[in-house]
Amino acid sequence: MIHFFGNQNSKIFAVQTSKELSPETIQKLNWLFGNQPKLDEASIDAFFIGPRAAMITPWSTNAVEITQNMAIDGIVRIEEFTASNEKETFDPMIFQKYSTLNQEIFTINTKPEAVLAIEDIAAYNQQEGLSLSDEEVEYLNGISTKIGRKLTDSEVFGFSQVNSEHCRHKIFNGTFIIDGEEMPSSLFKLIRKTSETNHNGIVSAYKDNVAFVEGPTVEQFAPKSADKPDFYEKKDFKSVISLKAETHNFPTTVEPFNGAATGSGGEIRDRLAGGKGSLPLAGTAVYMTSYSRLNENRPWEKGMQERQWLYQTPMDILIKASNGASDFGNKFGQPLITGSLLTFEHEEQARKLGFDKVIMQAGGIGYGKAEQALKDTPNNGDKIVILGGDNYRIGMGGAAVS
């Protein structure tokens, strides 16, 4: 059941519930939405731009949690819809245009497709854009022969993602041969050698999705026990400082706000999951683009003619990505406190160079307990619990895209 609050000429809040709303709940929601009244209409015939039915927004997740903290039961989803017209443009990657708001706006009619046995892995690789190399296709064909059956579409797709350069860093870890001579170390081993040679205060590096360094001894004021009501006490514990940076280059190039926002969300997630758990404190961001050409009095930006941008202009990227990185952190409770920006273009011998594919690094710092900085080794018989929501192709396909 969907209820509408707001003004159909500006903004509508669509509230999906599992039961009827009581007068008290309606009054609370009316206050929550800034004194926007509940509309009696079961449907509103006008053009609106809002999120796609299949993609629940982070804003909705936060809004629903707020209603739970207000002791409102039965709220499933809340989304914002902005009044529009038939001709207004929008970003079809995350939004869609509705000619009417009704009880079906969150209905998803897509049915799961049947499992497909792949007859020709090489052709399927080209068809789906999985970016599998010839060696990987040969390997998968060997697996198919070994197990005596054709691989399924989900198996081939899954392999293309988890075994991608995006996840495995195969080039970094590969054997390097220069002028016919095999080098003694891979690029990734060279990167790791710094911390191995000068360990200093490193507690954990290159073994988790976040690094930990030694932190100060911290005085904690907390309940004596966590499993029952108890008195508060002061206790010292040895802390670790968590450090993390997540690159979200291509997503930010295509859709700056959400690309940068999910980059910030990714690094927050990784620090929360670092070791046996740690806490985020503050965020950082790095943006590297071609020239913004924002001001007229920059003669160095006129040395090259501006390109025809395939996705977004550098100026749009810098504004929207900054807003996106701040937005996710602020909604989560982690402020974005510092960062850096570098622009670059250069032309030499008829070759034009520049940061046309934006470099976006969402970083952050946090802390945890030293005794919880390292994960335990799983044992036979341990139960595994998977936490999280739906995976969309936009995320699962990121490895092949990059």
Side-chain angles (χ1 to χ4, degrees), residues 115-160:
V115 175
L116 179 65
I118 305 302
E119 297 290 336
D120 187 337
I121 295 176
Y124 185 72
N125 174 45
Q126 292 297 321
Q127 173 189 320
E128 297 296 321
L130 301 182
S131 300
L132 293 171
S133 67
D134 293 341
E135 291 82 0
E136 289 170 325
V137 171
E138 183 180 349
Y139 172 80
L140 290 176
N141 283 326
I143 291 292
S144 177
T145 302
K146 182 178 179 180
I147 64 177
R149 66 167 175 81
K150 299 294 182 182
L151 299 182
T152 68
D153 50 352
S154 60
E155 288 171 334
V156 176
F157 181 81
F159 176 86
S160 75

Side-chain angles (χ1 to χ4, degrees), residues 117-248:
I118 305 302
E119 297 290 336
D120 187 337
I121 295 176
Y124 185 72
N125 174 45
Q126 292 297 321
Q127 173 189 320
E128 297 296 321
L130 301 182
S131 300
L132 293 171
S133 67
D134 293 341
E135 291 82 0
E136 289 170 325
V137 171
E138 183 180 349
Y139 172 80
L140 290 176
N141 283 326
I143 291 292
S144 177
T145 302
K146 182 178 179 180
I147 64 177
R149 66 167 175 81
K150 299 294 182 182
L151 299 182
T152 68
D153 50 352
S154 60
E155 288 171 334
V156 176
F157 181 81
F159 176 86
S160 75
Q161 303 308 297
V162 300
N163 194 52
S164 69
E165 176 65 28
H166 180 82
C167 300
R168 286 278 303 279
H169 302 301
K170 292 181 291 186
I171 293 175
F172 267 8
N173 281 309
T175 301
F176 273 76
I177 299 175
I178 301 178
D179 296 332
E181 182 181 351
E182 183 177 326
M183 296 293 103
S185 178
S186 68
L187 278 177
F188 200 60
K189 286 181 180 178
L190 286 174
I191 293 171
R192 297 179 62 157
K193 188 175 181 179
T194 304
S195 59
E196 292 170 355
T197 304
N198 301 291
H199 197 267
N200 297 329
I202 296 174
V203 176
S204 172
Y206 306 113
K207 62 180 66 174
D208 212 335
N209 271 352
V210 65
F212 290 109
V213 296
E214 293 176 355
T217 298
V218 177
E219 182 181 78
Q220 182 183 39
F221 182 62
K224 188 174 182 179
S225 56
D227 58 341
K228 64 180 184 297
D230 210 335
F231 290 101
Y232 276 68
E233 66 174 7
K234 291 191 294 185
K235 183 189 296 184
D236 290 343
F237 72 87
K238 181 65 178 173
S239 72
V240 288
I241 305 300
S242 66
L243 302 166
K244 165 72 182 179
E246 170 140 336
T247 56
H248 251 227

Side-chain angles (χ1 to χ4, degrees), residues 21-80:
L21 298 178
S22 67
E24 181 185 5
T25 296
I26 293 174
Q27 186 177 7
K28 287 182 177 180
L29 292 173
N30 174 261
W31 173 84
L32 181 64
F33 296 139
N35 297 320
Q36 294 295 321
K38 181 179 181 298
L39 305 179
D40 294 331
E41 293 90 339
S43 65
I44 302 172
D45 292 326
F47 284 100
F48 290 89
I49 294 176
R52 292 164 59 177
M55 298 184 70
I56 299 174
T57 64
W59 185 91
S60 172
T61 304
N62 285 326
V64 171
E65 184 177 4
I66 289 171
T67 64
Q68 293 169 347
N69 292 333
M70 294 171 63
I72 299 175
D73 295 325
I75 305 295
V76 178
R77 182 177 178 182
I78 306 174
E79 298 288 6
E80 293 178 298

Side-chain angles (χ1 to χ4, degrees), residues 49-50 52 88-97 254-258 312 320:
I49 294 176
R52 292 164 59 177
E88 184 178 355
T89 59
F90 62 98
D91 183 355
M93 182 179 289
I94 52 176
F95 294 109
Q96 70 182 77
K97 185 175 289 186
V254 176
E255 212 300 306
F257 184 93
N258 289 287
Q312 312 265 350
K320 295 176 183 177

Side-chain angles (χ1 to χ4, degrees), residues 8 20 79 94 151 178 256 262 281 289-290 299 379 383 391:
Q8 70 178 64
E20 279 288 352
E79 298 288 6
I94 52 176
L151 299 182
I178 301 178
T262 50
L281 284 176
T289 71
S290 293
N379 295 311
K383 289 181 169 60
N391 280 307

Side-chain angles (χ1 to χ4, degrees), residues 267-332:
E267 67 88 9
I268 290 173
R269 169 204 63 205
D270 289 343
R271 280 185 295 122
L272 282 167
K276 296 170 189 167
S278 64
L279 296 173
L281 284 176
T284 65
V286 176
Y287 312 102
M288 300 167 68
T289 71
S290 293
Y291 290 151
S292 66
R293 295 178 172 83
L294 181 61
N295 294 334
E296 292 295 325
N297 59 343
R298 292 175 175 171
W300 63 88
E301 292 189 343
K302 299 178 181 179
M304 287 174 55
Q305 186 175 357
E306 185 174 7
R307 294 167 210 39
Q308 294 295 319
W309 300 107
L310 178 61
Y311 296 108
Q312 312 265 350
T313 68
M315 187 172 69
D316 285 340
I317 288 171
L318 291 173
I319 294 172
K320 295 176 183 177
S322 176
N323 290 342
S326 300
D327 183 78
F328 194 105
N330 288 338
K331 284 178 177 175
F332 193 86

